[in-house]
Amino acid sequence: FAGVFLVGIFLISMSFSFLPVLVIAPQKFALLFAFGSMTLLSSFAILKGPKAFMASLMQRDKLPFSVAYAVGLLGTLVATIGMRNFVLTALFGVTQAVALLYFLASFVPGGKMILDFC
């Protein structure tokens, strides 16, 4: 768990180093962020077990964020690789980031309460 989690954190932190050139080359940021977030979520699948993790993603209270994350992830990849559209890449990237923050907070004790408060 810890090794995969740290690789995900590393990829996401590497993606932030490309923020200054986001307008010029959004692909570098978006791809590193997308792969980092997938790696981060994979670490929780390793921790909880794949079936239990998928079941938790399909819970009624997490389902909107699961769908938002999937749309954000796929949208980021399509907008970056296929369309090379900066505006759509930014829009889907923000969607993906918000959903990822919700997931991370929901796995931390008391994190969901903090999100509900905001």
Side-chain angles (χ1 to χ4, degrees):
F1 162 75
V4 176
F5 185 81
L6 289 175
V7 168
I9 294 293
F10 175 74
L11 289 172
I12 289 175
S13 64
M14 286 293 296
S15 74
F16 290 137
S17 69
F18 289 104
L19 279 178
V21 294
L22 185 64
V23 177
I24 299 167
Q27 298 86 3
K28 293 178 181 179
F29 169 77
L31 291 175
L32 279 172
F33 189 79
F35 291 132
S37 68
M38 285 188 295
T39 306
L40 208 59
L41 284 181
S42 297
S43 71
F44 286 103
I46 291 170
L47 181 66
K48 294 180 82 173
K51 286 184 181 181
F53 181 71
M54 288 304 290
S56 73
L57 292 181
M58 299 302 160
Q59 290 175 352
R60 186 177 190 88
D61 60 333
K62 290 184 184 177
L63 194 56
F65 291 97
S66 299
V67 171
Y69 178 77
V71 167
L73 178 66
L74 292 174
T76 299
L77 294 175
V78 168
T80 300
I81 297 169
M83 301 172 70
R84 297 186 184 270
N85 186 324
F86 167 72
V87 175
L88 287 177
T89 299
L91 178 70
F92 286 122
V94 167
T95 302
Q96 180 185 355
V98 169
L100 180 66
L101 284 175
Y102 176 82
F103 282 133
L104 294 178
S106 70
F107 286 113
V108 175
K112 190 169 180 200
M113 184 180 67
I114 291 171
L115 286 177
D116 290 339
F117 179 72
C118 295

